[in-house]
Amino acid sequence: MDLRTVGRRGGPRLDADGCVLRAFRDDDVGLVLAASADAAITRVTTVPPCADEYAARTWIRLQHARVVDRVGLPFAIADAVTDEPLGQIGLWFSGVGAGRARVGYWVPAANRGQGLASRALRALCPWAFEEGVERLELYVEPHNLASQRVAEGAGFRWEGLLRAWETIGAERRDMVMYSRLPSDPATPCRATPLTSSTTGPAPARGR
Ligand SMILES: CC(C)(COP(=O)(O)OP(=O)(O)OC[C@H]1O[C@@H](n2cnc3c(N)ncnc32)[C@H](O)[C@@H]1OP(=O)(O)O)[C@@H](O)C(=O)NCCC(=O)NCCS
C-alpha cells in the first residue's frame, strides 16, 4: 500500500471525544513554547528546547512542510469547543516502510493526566486504517509507563524490546515496540512485563 494518499482527501478534523485533531495553525505558538520548556518532550521530539516565539513559529512551519513533503501528518490535539491547542499527535510515514506508519504524541506537563493522548490515539487509529494504513507502530522507552498506558489503552499490542534501537541524547536507547493492525480490537490490551538494560531517561537533548 502506497501511503502517499493518506490524508489527501482534505485536511481532516477528527473528533476525539471532547477534543479534536486538527492541523497546526500559525497561532499555536503558546503550545509549542510550553512543549519547548518540557524536557520530557524535547528529548524525544523535534520541538527545540528553550524556544522563543520565532523558533516556535519555525517549528509550526516545519509541520506544514512535513505534510507537503509527505513525511507525515502532525495534528494538534485541541479542545473541541474553544479550539485551544493542548497537545500533539503525529502519524509518520518516513522511514517506516510500505503500508506501515508510526505514531508519536506529546502533551505538555500542565495538560497531562486528562486523557488527551489516549483520546487522540483512539481517534487517530480508525481514521488511519480507513485511509489504508496496514500497520501502526509505536516505539516507547521502557521507563515511559505513561506512554505505554496510552498505547495499550488504544489497543496496541506489545511486541518486544528493541535493544539499543535509537540514539536519544548521546546514548543508544532500548525501545518497546507496540503495533496495532486494522483487525485488532480497539479495546485495551495490557502489556507483557518488560526487562531492559536501560531503564531511565538519557540526558536531555532534542532531536
Ligand atoms: C506520554 C504522554 C503523551 C501522556 O499524555 P497524557 O495526555 O497525560 O496521557 P493520558 O492522560 O491519556 O494517559 C496517561 C496514562 O498513563 C498513566 N500514567 C501517567 N503517569 C504514569 C506513571 N508514572 N506510571 C504509570 N502510569 C502512568 C495514567 O494513569 C494514564 O493511564 P490510564 O488511562 O490507564 O489511567 C505525556 O506524558 C508526554 O507528553 N510525555 C512526554 C513525551 C512522551 O513521552 N511522548 C511519548 C513518546 S513514545
Side-chain angles (χ1 to χ4, degrees), residues 40-41 44 105-107 112-118 139-140 144-147 149-150 190:
I41 294 176
V44 295
Y105 36 74
W106 52 256
V107 174
R112 287 185 194 140
Q114 301 169 34
L116 286 168
S118 299
Y139 300 81
V140 187
N144 195 344
L145 300 181
S147 183
R149 292 291 293 183
V150 170
R190 294 303 172 203

Side-chain angles (χ1 to χ4, degrees), residues 165-180:
W165 180 250
E166 182 173 340
T167 302
I168 296 181
E171 283 183 39
R172 296 299 295 184
R173 307 291 301 175
D174 295 350
M175 287 284 159
V176 180
M177 169 118 199
Y178 284 92
S179 73
R180 192 174 147 192

